[in-house]
């Protein structure tokens, strides 16, 4: 009986299968066969095999005999033998229709197929492009019939799900084969690894490769190539090399593009020696090195700063008639200019012209960039001017690089003129230019800077008429500017989507910089509606804005949006997040980001390690900082001099001058030269540890290396000697700064004011007499003094012998600083107020609050703490309380230092109840008094014979791991014995003994 054709369409197949009776497998096979027949070979189907005129007679005769044999075996009850015949028939069938006809034939005779037969059916469906039908057959028929899958069926299902792209299902059945102590077939292994690589799970693919390789499976050649390429792209070169070596060991032929992937990966990661070895190995296999591969090796040598070997490969290219192109020459030129060898770079320029290649804008751009890095901006300007003589138009990046260098040298007029020239020449601006502008202009004008760039994109890139457009220079309303930008963005989006991405990104960066977060998110949504996508730098700006607002959860959501759009976060994105965590002191969160980067196959940059090490240093976690530094060294990333400066500072500030010196001496081992910052950090650390003789040796070495002492070094030394109460020597250094023309910045002035303020108060109740200068100090001053000034020149000598002289000197210093510093600064104001308070001139100090307001500065808790401490020290306790209440009413929250200041003041004024009240208030606010406050309280309570309260203070101190001083303990013990409180006295004696044992 033949089936009649129907009007079913291919899309109805699965719908029919789902709606049918799941247990009627015969119905499924008949209907599926009919569908395949209608839309496949168009041949009629019959339960009985009929001869096809287009097929060979012997083939049809063979099928007929097989069906006859199956029927005879079934009739005799030899079901197992019939199953084997049907399996062979399905396996040998030349089409899906033939396979299904065989299944239908058996089912029609009441025989239930086994798992192996179904595996052949599914494999046949998959091989002929019907994986969805195969999956439906399994899930709706085979699985529902309770047939337990064997190895063959699982293997076929792996192929099926790989074809459908269902990774989780394929993984489940792939693992099931191993659980059954079998090894998947070669085709299943290939398909599964291909799917893993295609869906970005290259590392899982590598693990699967190891698993099947250990089982003895030889994969297809393309599978090895897929793994090597994917691992190289992710930076897992050791794993890629292992796959490559396995491939060579198994004797598989090497494809050129596989060798290229591995060679490029090794060169990009700086493993140039391994790349060279691979090149030699490729030659032994008959793979010829082409121009691209030779250029990649040259690039690797240039990154390794081995220009000699790079030129060797270049010369070999010329000898083998492998002609270099502009890219090859540009790489070599860049390598030479980065080493400062401009003469050799110009020789390559001429050689390129003689070879018939014209230097392009990129060639000049590299020279211009390096000139700017080397602070030779005038040479860069001349070079860019010479490009017009060669009929080469400078790229916008050349203008941007020179403008940035001019801004750094404070040549603002020249930078602005260059910007105007660029805009007049009709360039289409990019986001890099905008970033350069906002970085070198004052905050608050980001929107104004964005408008002319968006207008230039609209006019020069899209030909939009700007006659009705406003000018940001003549508009005072930022709202009008934003409306105009948004109008232009709509017009640009209609004409050029690529330029729309640039314009939108610039606007998004402007809104983020001005912390217009709500508007920035609206613009982001509008971009999605227009089909535009921000640049990564725009996303990074928005992430920085979210972090400033403390919206870390929104940052995570934004990163997910980026990844959904196919824009993966780069190390700069993670650096922004890590910096925010470190500024807040959340080291563990920063370390979690580091771990996340490792999971994503991203190598952290030096800047990320730098931020984490600085944070650990601030928290005095030196051992962890040292471990992080060593971890960075082991990771093989390119180091710069700044990370060594950070680590030297870490050692120096924490009293490890010997380790700082040792690390400083190792800088040259990493092909780096110590900078002025490195010398400054080391010299300060040595002076801080009183190793002034060693500091003088490094100071002399610094002069020999061509570096001069700067503001930072002088400020650090002044700060140290003021702390050591070497006031005369500190101000001799201040005088030396002025005579040598070294500018004093706000940090210098703040250091001076703070240091003098500390020295006004007597030391241990009596005036501290300054010690004479040591021989090492004289040597240091001689080195600094005689470097610039003739020996006959006299220097300032400051001699202060009393506290009154110190107060007078401090006030003279304050007057001088007020005349010198034009820009108001909160830290400096606080230092000045501290000096005035300690000089006993409280009315002037109070007037400074009004002066701060006139200068647009708002006092902080530190300001109020200084004033309250001053009033307490002058005996004006009521004024201190009034100021404290005023501070609370103004919305300022007292901190631990302020509370301790109040306790000390109340104890000094013998207002014990007020001191106890403040201590109770501290506990309610979650603070605990410092040890000095406890000691003051204990002393006052003992003076009034309040032994019970004093004993409670002792117990509280011990609970917080503070032990009272011996004087207070003895005083309290005497009172307890006199009051016949023997038990309490024994408890106190136990505390005293416990302290002595410690």
């Amino acid at each position: 009986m033949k089936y009649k054709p129907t009007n079913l369409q291919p899309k109805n197949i699965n719908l029919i299968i789902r709606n049918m009776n799941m247990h009627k497998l015969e119905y499924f096979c008949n209907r599926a066969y009919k569908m395949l027949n209608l839309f496949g070979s168009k041949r009629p189907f019959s339960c009985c095999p009929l001869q096809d005129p287009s097929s060979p007679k012997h083939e049809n005769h063979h099928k007929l005999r097989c069906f006859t044999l199956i029927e005879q075996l079934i009739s005799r009850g030899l079901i197992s033998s019939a199953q084997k015949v049907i399996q062979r028939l399905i396996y040998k069938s030349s089409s899906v229709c033939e396979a299904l006809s065989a299944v239908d034939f058996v089912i029609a005779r009441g025989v239930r197929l086994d798992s192996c037969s179904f595996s052949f059916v599914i494999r046949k469906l998959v091989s002929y492009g019907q994986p969805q039908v195969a999956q439906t057959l399994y899930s709706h028929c085979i699985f529902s019939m309770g047939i337990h899958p064997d190895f063959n069926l699982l293997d076929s299902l792996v192929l099926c799900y790989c074809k459908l792209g269902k990774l989780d299902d394929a993984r489940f059945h792939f693992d099931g084969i191993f659980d059954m102590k079998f090894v998947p077939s070669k085709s299943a292994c290939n398909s599964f690894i291909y799917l893993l690589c295609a869906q970005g799970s290259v590392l899982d693919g590598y693990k699967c490769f190891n698993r099947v390789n250990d089982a003895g499976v030889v994969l297809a050649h393309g599978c090895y190539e897929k793994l090597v390429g994917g691992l190289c792209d992710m930076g897992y070169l050791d794993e890629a090399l292992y796959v490559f070596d396995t491939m060579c060991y198994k004797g598989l032929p090497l494809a050129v593009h596989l060798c290229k992937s591995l060679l490029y990966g090794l060169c990009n990661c700086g493993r140039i020696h391994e790349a060279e070895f691979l090149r030699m190995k490729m030659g032994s296999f008959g793979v010829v090195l082409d121009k691209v591969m030779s250029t990649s090796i040259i690039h690797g040598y240039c990154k390794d700063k081995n220009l000699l070997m790079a030129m060797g490969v270049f010369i070999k290219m010329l000898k083998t008639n492998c002609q270099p192109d502009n890219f090859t020459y540009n790489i070599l030129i860049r390598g030479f200019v980065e080493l400062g060898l401009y003469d050799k770079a110009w020789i390559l320029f001429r050689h390129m012209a003689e070879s018939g290649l014209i230097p392009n804008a990129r060639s000049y751009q590299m020279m211009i960039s390096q000139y700017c890095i080397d602070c030779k901006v005038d040479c860069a300007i001349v070079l860019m001017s010479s490009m017009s003589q060669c009929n080469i138009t400078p790229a916008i990046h050349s203008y941007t690089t020179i403008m940035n260098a001019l801004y750094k040298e404070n040549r603002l007029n020249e930078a602005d003129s260059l910007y105007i020239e660029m805009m007049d020449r009709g360039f289409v601006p990019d986001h890099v230019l905008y970033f350069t502008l906002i970085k070198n202009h004052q905050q608050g004008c980001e929107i104004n800077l964005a408008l002319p760039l968006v207008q230039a994109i609209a006019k020069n890139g899209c030909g939009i008429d700007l006659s009705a457009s406003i000018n940001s220079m003549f508009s005072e309303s930022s709202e009008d500017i934003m409306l105009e930008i948004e109008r232009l963005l709509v017009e640009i989006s209609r004409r050029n989507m690529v330029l729309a991405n640039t314009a939108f990104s610039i606007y998004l960066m402007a809104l983020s910089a001005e912390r217009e977060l709500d508007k920035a998110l609206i613009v982001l949504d509008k971009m999605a509606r227009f089909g535009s996508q921000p640049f990564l730098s725009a996303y990074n700006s928005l992430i920085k804005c979210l972090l400033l607002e403390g919206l870390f959860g929104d940052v995570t959501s934004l990163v997910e949006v980026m990844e959904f759009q196919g824009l993966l976060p780069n190390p700069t994105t993670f650096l922004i997040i890590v910096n925010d965590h470190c500024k807040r002191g959340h080291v563990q969160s920063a370390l979690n980001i580091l771990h996340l980067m490792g999971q994503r196959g991203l190598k952290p940059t030096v800047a990320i390690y730098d931020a984490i090490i600085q944070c650990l240093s601030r928290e005095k976690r030196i051992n962890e900082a040292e471990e992080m530094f060593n971890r960075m060294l082991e990771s093989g990333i390119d180091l710069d001099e700044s990370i060594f400066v950070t680590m030297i500072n870490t050692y120096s500030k924490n009293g490890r001058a010997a380790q700082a010196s040792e690390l400083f001496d190792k800088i040259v081992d990493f092909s780096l030269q110590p900078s002025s910052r490195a010398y400054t950090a080391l010299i300060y650390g040595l002076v801080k540890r009183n190793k002034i003789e060693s500091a003088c040796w490094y100071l002399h070495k610094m002069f020999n290396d061509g570096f001069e002492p700067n503001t930072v070094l002088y400020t650090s030394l002044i700060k140290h000697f003021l702390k050591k109460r070497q006031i005369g020597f500190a101000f001799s250094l201040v005088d030396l700064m002025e005579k040598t023309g070294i500018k004093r910045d706000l940090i210098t002035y703040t250091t001076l004011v703070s240091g003098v303020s500390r020295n006004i108060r007597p030391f241990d109740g009596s005036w501290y007499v300054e010690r004479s200068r040591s021989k090492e100090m004289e040597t240091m001053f001689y080195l600094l003094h005689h470097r610039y000034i003739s020996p006959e020149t006299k220097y300032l000598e400051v001699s202060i012998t009393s506290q009154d002289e110190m107060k007078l000197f401090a006030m003279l210093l304050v007057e001088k600083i007020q005349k010198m510093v034009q820009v108001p600064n909160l830290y400096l104001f606080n230092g000045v107020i501290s000096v005035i308070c300690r000089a006993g001139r409280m009315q002037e100090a109070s007037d400074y609050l009004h002066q701060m307001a006139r200068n647009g500065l708002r006092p902080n808790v530190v300001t109020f703490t200084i004033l309250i401490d001053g009033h307490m020290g002058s005996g004006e306790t009521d004024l201190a309380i009034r100021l404290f209440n005023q501070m609370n009413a103004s919305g300022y929250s007292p901190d631990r230092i302020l509370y301790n200041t109040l306790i000390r003041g109340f104890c000094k004024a013998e207002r014990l109840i007020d001191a106890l009240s403040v201590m109770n208030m501290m506990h309610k606010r979650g603070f605990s008094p410092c040890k000095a406050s406890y000691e003051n309280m204990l002393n006052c309570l003992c003076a009034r014979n309040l032994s019970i309260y004093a004993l409670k203070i002792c117990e509280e101190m011990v609970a917080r791991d503070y032990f009272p001083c011996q004087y207070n303990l003895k005083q309290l013990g005497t009172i307890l014995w006199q009051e016949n409180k023997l038990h309490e006295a024994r408890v106190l004696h136990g505390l005293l003994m416990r302290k002595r044992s410690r």
Side-chain angles (χ1 to χ4, degrees), residues 60 70 86 172 180 197 271 275 366 453 621 660 665 864 930:
N60 287 312
I70 292 169
I86 196 65
F172 176 77
M180 296 173 67
C197 294
R271 298 168 64 170
M366 289 186 299
L453 297 190
R621 297 161 65 174
D665 295 334
F864 286 104
C930 65

Side-chain angles (χ1 to χ4, degrees), residues 133-379:
V133 177
Q135 193 256 343
T136 308
L137 170 65
Y138 171 73
S139 58
H140 292 285
C141 298
I142 302 172
F143 184 77
S144 62
M145 290 172 64
I147 297 176
H148 185 71
D150 63 357
F151 153 71
N152 292 307
L153 183 54
L154 289 177
D155 198 81
S156 300
L157 288 170
V158 170
L159 290 170
C160 174
Y161 285 118
C162 287
K163 206 76 172 178
L164 292 170
K166 296 182 177 182
L167 180 57
D168 292 335
D169 292 319
R171 192 195 305 272
F172 176 77
H173 291 91
F174 191 83
D175 291 339
I177 296 174
F178 281 100
D179 293 340
M180 296 173 67
K181 309 299 181 184
F182 285 98
V183 179
S185 66
K186 179 179 177 179
S187 55
C189 293
N190 287 327
S191 299
F192 185 54
I193 292 176
Y194 264 113
L195 181 62
L196 286 168
C197 294
Q199 297 197 8
S201 301
V202 182
L203 288 179
D204 289 339
Y206 175 70
K207 292 176 183 176
C208 179
F209 159 77
N210 284 327
R211 198 175 186 184
V212 300
N213 187 54
D214 292 341
V217 178
V218 180
L219 299 174
H221 191 275
C223 199
Y224 290 103
E225 294 178 8
K226 199 78 174 176
L227 276 171
V228 170
L231 290 168
C232 288
D233 291 340
M234 293 180 66
Y236 292 97
L237 293 177
D238 291 327
E239 290 78 2
L241 283 169
Y242 177 72
V243 177
F244 178 79
D245 290 339
T246 303
M247 189 177 175
C248 296
Y249 177 75
K250 293 184 181 295
L252 296 172
L254 295 180
V256 176
H257 58 275
L258 181 143
C259 297
K260 282 185 177 180
S261 298
L262 198 52
L263 191 72
Y264 298 155
L266 290 168
C267 292
N268 290 335
C269 291
R271 298 168 64 170
I272 186 61
H273 299 294
E274 294 174 79
E276 184 68 25
F277 178 76
L278 177 63
R279 182 188 68 80
M280 295 168 61
K281 192 172 185 178
M282 288 162 57
S284 66
F285 282 101
V287 179
V288 180
L289 207 66
D290 61 10
K291 178 175 62 179
V292 180
M293 296 167 78
S294 299
T295 303
S296 182
I297 293 176
I298 290 172
H299 187 208
Y301 277 124
C302 289
K303 285 181 68 176
D304 199 37
K305 295 182 173 56
N306 192 342
L307 270 298
L308 184 63
M309 292 298 294
M311 284 301 296
V313 177
F314 176 74
I315 293 170
K316 189 172 182 179
M317 286 179 70
L318 297 176
K319 288 181 178 179
T320 56
N321 292 325
C322 182
Q323 291 300 322
D325 56 9
N326 281 70
F327 186 65
T328 310
Y329 278 103
N330 287 344
I331 287 172
L332 283 168
I333 290 169
R334 180 176 181 178
F336 280 117
V337 297
E338 283 181 350
L339 293 177
L341 303 173
Y342 293 98
D343 294 339
K344 295 187 183 299
W346 282 114
I347 292 172
L348 280 171
F349 254 92
R350 290 192 290 271
H351 191 277
M352 182 165 42
E354 291 170 1
S355 302
L357 296 172
I358 301 174
N360 53 20
R362 177 63 180 162
S363 307
Y364 285 94
Q365 166 64 24
M366 289 186 299
M367 297 281 285
I368 290 170
S369 297
Q370 195 59 40
Y371 273 133
C372 292
I373 291 171
D374 293 341
C375 300
K376 297 179 179 179
V377 64
D378 293 320
C379 296

Side-chain angles (χ1 to χ4, degrees), residues 810-845:
M811 294 307 300
L812 291 172
L813 177 66
V814 166
E815 291 176 10
K816 186 174 182 180
I817 288 175
Q818 286 176 328
K819 293 176 183 177
M820 297 289 295
V821 180
Q822 302 297 325
V823 181
N825 179 270
L826 180 60
Y827 297 105
L828 186 58
F829 262 102
N830 286 341
V832 169
I833 291 172
S834 178
V835 169
I836 297 172
C837 286
R838 294 191 176 185
R841 301 163 76 163
M842 290 307 303
Q843 185 57 47
E844 290 183 36

Side-chain angles (χ1 to χ4, degrees), residues 361-410:
R362 177 63 180 162
S363 307
Y364 285 94
Q365 166 64 24
M366 289 186 299
M367 297 281 285
I368 290 170
S369 297
Q370 195 59 40
Y371 273 133
C372 292
I373 291 171
D374 293 341
C375 300
K376 297 179 179 179
V377 64
D378 293 320
C379 296
I381 294 172
V382 172
L383 182 60
M384 191 172 72
S385 302
S386 68
M387 293 175 68
S388 58
Q389 300 173 6
C390 304
N391 295 323
I392 299 174
T393 304
I396 187 173
H397 299 295
S398 299
Y399 280 98
T400 305
T401 305
I402 295 175
M403 283 173 56
N404 190 44
L406 290 170
Y407 279 126
K408 283 183 179 179
E409 294 185 6
N410 206 28

Side-chain angles (χ1 to χ4, degrees), residues 606 609-617 621-633 639-664 666-667 677-678 681-682 685:
V606 176
Y609 281 111
D610 200 335
I612 295 174
I613 290 172
Q614 286 188 45
C615 187
L616 290 169
S617 175
R621 297 161 65 174
I622 312 305
N623 292 333
E624 294 176 63
E626 196 171 32
E627 289 176 9
M628 185 61 62
F629 181 75
N630 292 330
R631 174 181 168 184
M632 181 198 64
L633 294 179
L639 302 177
D640 59 15
E641 190 262 346
S642 63
I643 189 66
F644 285 95
V645 173
T646 298
M647 203 62 207
I648 290 169
N649 264 320
T650 300
Y651 285 136
S652 298
K653 290 178 180 179
N654 291 278
R656 298 189 181 184
Q659 289 170 286
S661 302
E662 185 180 346
L663 183 61
F664 181 90
K666 286 182 178 178
I667 293 179
R677 291 175 60 227
L682 178 61

Side-chain angles (χ1 to χ4, degrees), residues 671-733:
S671 301
L672 298 170
Q673 291 298 321
S675 67
S676 177
R677 291 175 60 227
Y679 275 109
T680 300
L682 178 61
I683 292 169
Y684 172 64
L686 291 168
V687 171
K688 189 176 179 181
R689 293 297 296 170
N690 204 30
K691 296 184 177 182
I692 302 177
E693 186 176 356
S694 298
C696 291
W697 188 87
Y698 279 105
L699 184 62
H700 183 72
K701 189 175 186 298
M702 183 178 78
F703 288 140
N704 291 337
D705 286 349
F707 298 112
E708 306 297 341
N710 55 14
T711 307
V712 179
L713 177 59
Y714 272 103
T715 303
S716 302
L717 294 174
I718 291 166
K719 179 181 178 181
H720 170 76
F721 288 111
L722 284 173
K723 267 187 178 180
K724 293 291 184 181
R725 304 181 78 89
Q726 293 280 357
I727 302 166
F729 187 73
F731 276 92
S732 296
L733 293 175

